[in-house]
Amino acid sequence: MPTPPPPSPEELLRLISRLSAAAERLRQQEIIAPLLPGGRIRTRIEGLVYEFKVRASFAGWGRFRPRDEQEAELLGEALPWQRGAYLELLPALRMILLWPVSGPRASQAQLWLALPFNPSDARQRFGLPDEPLPVLLCDPFNGAEPFERIVARVDGQTLWFDGPDPRADPTHAVWMREAVATPGEGHERFPAGLSASERRALLLWDLHRLEEEALRQELRTSSLGHDQALDTEQRTRGHFVSTAGRSVPEQVAQAQSRRAQLAWLQQERLRLQLSERLRHALAKAGAVLHSYTLLPASSGSTSEIIVEWSEEGRPYRYRSVIDPELTIVSSGICLSGRDRDFDLTSIVSVMRDSPWSEEELEE
């Protein structure tokens, strides 16, 4: 087979000119894409797949512009219609949200576990197993709550949160959240139409709660036993416990495990304290806490909290966004920019007297 002749200088110049023009058009492109902590964005431009590194501390749906063929800058958060247009290009899978995954990076990625609503559909169309699967960028402002029926978009082996499933009966998720929040209070019978997947989600929630409780008890026992052994050793020998007979990797692993256990216990303690603070603040105004969702900042700490509550004995529910000091960030109604003048207790009376109260809506 004859060897093709080498390109002429004119052809090389034309190729270089086309590549330069493509690079210039690339820098003018605006890219809509999801970004995870420490991740990259990918896009296809003129038939070529590009992968860009973003140096900004951002996680979510963003608008980006390439600086060159390797890096892109963040322009801002993507608008809802831009996010929707991106997700509509991907196939849909209906799922049931279970619970958010703990940990700083998982919180920043808004990572939840979810169960396929139709296991055979998930297996046949996408090869996904019938087990809890990770779903990314689950936005509580867009309806991400425990037991909520959602639409996830399948991107290879990655699942992106789209929004609540419009075909779902919303009373099912409400009943399930009530059932796990107040076990044994008249929830023995399932409501009509509750699917097998939703019943399995309840079972998985109970198993998850039991595992957390067992782990919490184990860590408390381990912590107490370690402290007692250390105290006894110090009293009998008059100095710290000897590390003789243990290798350096074992000592490091034990120290890391110890720090992880203490961090987990601290996190659980703060979670329980927050739950009690929310219940107490609402109870002072005659209201009841139903659920809450923590919204993490880029540092991993809690920036805002979405609280779902109702007046005691009333079925109508409200959602308020508060900061960690329980000051209202967004009440859900128009307060002429004075939301921060109220806290979680005082907002109850505001909602009760507002035109959007349950009594006004019924009239």
Side-chain angles (χ1 to χ4, degrees):
M1 183 176 180
T3 304
S8 64
E10 292 78 9
E11 291 175 331
L12 289 176
L13 289 175
R14 285 196 297 269
L15 177 60
I16 293 174
S17 177
R18 286 200 303 269
L19 292 176
S20 299
E24 183 61 31
R25 289 193 298 271
L26 176 65
R27 285 190 288 270
Q28 297 174 359
Q29 292 280 347
E30 183 174 303
I31 302 170
I32 308 299
L35 178 64
L36 300 178
R40 298 170 179 263
I41 61 171
R42 299 183 67 188
T43 187
R44 184 187 299 272
I45 301 176
E46 298 184 4
L48 298 177
V49 176
Y50 293 89
E51 184 174 88
F52 300 99
K53 182 177 181 180
V54 182
R55 297 192 180 276
S57 177
F58 175 82
W61 292 90
R63 297 182 293 111
F64 307 92
R65 175 169 290 136
R67 291 178 175 173
D68 50 39
E69 294 184 358
Q70 296 179 345
E71 287 193 10
E73 62 178 339
L74 174 67
L75 299 179
E77 189 171 353
L79 298 174
W81 68 267
Q82 294 173 320
R83 170 184 173 273
Y86 182 106
L87 290 171
E88 283 181 357
L89 300 175
L90 303 173
L93 176 65
R94 285 170 170 78
M95 308 188 77
I96 304 171
L97 281 182
L98 295 176
W99 55 79
V101 178
S102 60
R105 291 181 66 86
S107 298
Q108 292 176 41
Q110 296 179 300
L111 176 62
W112 284 58
L113 292 180
L115 195 66
F117 179 72
N118 187 336
S120 61
D121 179 55
R123 182 175 59 256
Q124 293 174 9
R125 293 174 59 206
F126 307 109
L128 297 175
D130 182 17
E131 60 185 34
L133 302 171
V135 181
L136 294 164
L137 299 183
C138 296
D139 186 3
F141 286 108
N142 198 23
E145 290 189 89
F147 304 116
E148 197 71 31
R149 277 262 306 274
I150 66 159
V151 175
R153 298 290 177 165
V154 183
D155 186 6
Q157 295 299 309
T158 302
L159 299 174
W160 302 106
F161 174 82
D162 189 346
D165 184 358
R167 301 181 185 177
D169 185 343
T171 61
H172 287 186
V174 172
W175 184 89
M176 294 164 75
R177 286 193 290 269
E178 285 288 339
V180 299
T182 56
E185 295 187 10
H187 303 295
E188 293 83 2
R189 300 186 63 180
F190 292 126
L194 199 69
S195 68
S197 297
E198 289 170 320
R199 300 184 187 193
R200 187 180 174 206
L202 281 172
L203 177 60
L204 290 173
W205 179 281
D206 286 339
L207 293 174
H208 175 66
R209 179 180 56 82
L210 291 174
E211 288 176 352
E212 280 195 328
E213 183 61 34
L215 178 59
R216 190 180 300 115
Q217 185 63 34
E218 180 182 348
L219 289 178
R220 288 172 179 168
T221 304
S222 175
S223 177
L224 180 61
H226 178 81
D227 292 341
Q228 290 176 343
L230 178 60
D231 183 62
T232 302
E233 187 76 13
Q234 290 175 341
R235 287 200 307 268
T236 55
R237 295 189 179 185
H239 54 72
F240 289 104
V241 175
S242 171
T243 59
R246 285 181 292 165
S247 65
V248 172
E250 288 176 341
Q251 297 174 37
V252 172
Q254 185 178 22
Q256 292 175 342
S257 176
R258 174 72 170 164
R259 285 194 295 269
Q261 291 176 0
L262 293 176
W264 191 86
L265 286 173
Q266 175 73 0
Q267 183 181 9
E268 282 297 299
R269 184 176 65 82
L270 293 176
R271 185 182 65 81
L272 292 174
Q273 288 179 349
L274 174 61
S275 180
E276 287 303 315
R277 287 177 63 201
L278 297 176
R279 294 182 190 279
H280 179 67
L282 289 168
K284 288 192 295 184
V288 179
L289 173 68
H290 293 284
S291 65
Y292 65 91
T293 303
L294 304 180
L295 302 180
S298 58
S299 62
S301 60
T302 300
S303 61
E304 296 175 347
I305 308 167
I306 300 179
V307 181
E308 183 179 0
W309 57 274
S310 67
E311 295 180 60
E312 190 169 1
R314 299 281 187 172
Y316 193 81
R317 298 189 178 193
Y318 303 92
R319 282 188 184 178
S320 303
V321 182
I322 63 175
D323 64 17
E325 301 301 322
L326 307 192
T327 301
I328 297 295
V329 176
S330 174
S331 62
I333 62 173
C334 179
L335 295 178
S336 302
R338 298 185 59 188
D339 297 70
R340 288 190 174 273
D341 292 349
F342 305 94
D343 60 13
L344 189 57
T345 300
S346 59
I347 198 64
V348 176
S349 60
V350 173
M351 301 299 286
R352 184 180 295 128
D353 299 335
S354 74
W356 294 271
S357 67
E358 183 178 357
E359 290 83 358
E360 295 289 340
L361 291 173
E362 289 175 350
E363 293 176 4

